[in-house]
């Protein structure tokens, strides 16, 4: 059986009690999306949409070039947000809802994310809490390129397994 222990110096996420409804967290980490990132993500997920992979096909669309896979954009946003929200303090992701991609992402775009806490409630046993967050993703021009709600089951400090 594998066991996990976390050192407080490596955990950066927030416990349930530390989330505040209305709080907005600007995530400092950014990522420039490469053609390789998009290609690898499409390969791993077996997504062969030519709009993401075929430069000739994409040149004939309204975008004029290939788009980055929207699920990659969303996944990257989750990754950018984890250190400041749920790193080491999460029990489980419960849902991703209301996903939208209002603007395209292209190879070479640099993305950043911000998270706003929408709601929180204790579980019925009082040992944990459910936190709902609104995540927004912006490109280097501050255009909104993706947004969604993420709901996570979070540890409470008093019930964290301290090793």
């Amino acid at each position: 059986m594998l066991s996990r222990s976390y050192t407080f110096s490596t955990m950066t996420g927030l416990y349930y009690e530390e989330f505040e409804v209305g709080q907005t967290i600007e995530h400092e980490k950014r990522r420039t999306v490469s053609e390789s990132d998009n290609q690898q993500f499409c390969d791993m997920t077996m997504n062969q949409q030519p709009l993401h992979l075929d430069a000739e096909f994409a040149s004939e669309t309204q975008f004029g070039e290939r788009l980055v896979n929207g699920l990659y954009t969303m996944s990257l946003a989750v990754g950018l947000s984890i250190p400041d929200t749920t790193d080491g303090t999460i029990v489980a992701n419960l849902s991703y809802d209301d996903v939208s991609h209002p603007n395209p992402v292209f190879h070479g775009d640099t993305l950043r994310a911000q998270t706003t806490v929408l709601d929180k409630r204790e579980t019925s046993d009082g040992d944990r809490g459910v936190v709902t967050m609104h995540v927004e993703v912006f490109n280097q021009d501050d255009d909104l390129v993706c947004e969604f709600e993420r709901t996570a089951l979070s540890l409470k400090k008093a019930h964290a397994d301290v090793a």
Side-chain angles (χ1 to χ4, degrees):
M1 178 182 200
L2 294 174
S3 66
R4 264 189 226 184
S5 62
Y6 295 98
T7 306
F8 282 110
S9 63
T10 61
M11 290 186 349
T12 58
L14 302 174
Y15 287 102
Y16 171 76
E17 299 90 338
E18 297 172 312
F19 285 100
E20 295 179 28
V21 174
Q23 167 188 23
T24 297
I25 302 164
E26 298 280 344
H27 307 294
E28 290 185 30
K29 290 190 179 190
R30 298 169 185 257
R31 173 71 188 261
T32 300
V33 181
S34 71
E35 179 179 1
S36 177
D37 294 331
N38 188 49
Q39 178 71 51
Q40 288 179 30
F41 187 85
C42 287
D43 289 346
M44 287 188 301
T45 58
M46 299 178 68
N47 183 331
Q48 297 304 303
Q49 168 56 254
L51 187 57
H52 302 312
L53 302 170
D54 184 333
E56 187 63 30
F57 173 88
S59 72
E60 302 291 324
T61 69
Q62 70 188 59
F63 305 106
E65 62 183 291
R66 290 168 290 172
L67 299 183
V68 171
N69 186 310
L71 290 174
Y72 173 80
T73 301
M74 182 178 156
S75 297
L76 177 60
V78 172
L80 292 172
S81 70
I82 284 174
D84 301 320
T85 58
T86 59
D87 184 26
T89 59
I90 191 171
V91 176
N93 279 311
L94 301 177
S95 68
Y96 297 95
D97 298 297
D98 299 323
V99 179
S100 69
H101 301 275
N103 289 293
V105 175
F106 299 101
H107 301 149
D109 281 355
T110 298
L111 304 181
R112 67 176 179 83
Q114 71 180 29
T115 300
T116 301
V117 179
L118 298 178
D119 190 37
K120 65 184 252 188
R121 64 176 174 77
E122 288 187 4
T123 56
S124 59
D125 64 8
D127 291 349
R128 299 170 286 190
V130 176
V131 180
T132 301
M133 300 164 269
H134 181 76
V135 180
E136 296 173 295
V137 188
F138 300 91
N139 67 13
Q140 67 281 352
D141 298 319
D142 287 328
D143 296 325
L144 181 66
V145 297
C146 182
E147 63 181 328
F148 55 92
E149 289 185 11
R150 174 179 173 226
T151 302
L153 183 60
S154 294
L155 293 172
K156 291 177 92 177
K157 279 185 184 181
H159 300 282
D161 181 27
V162 180

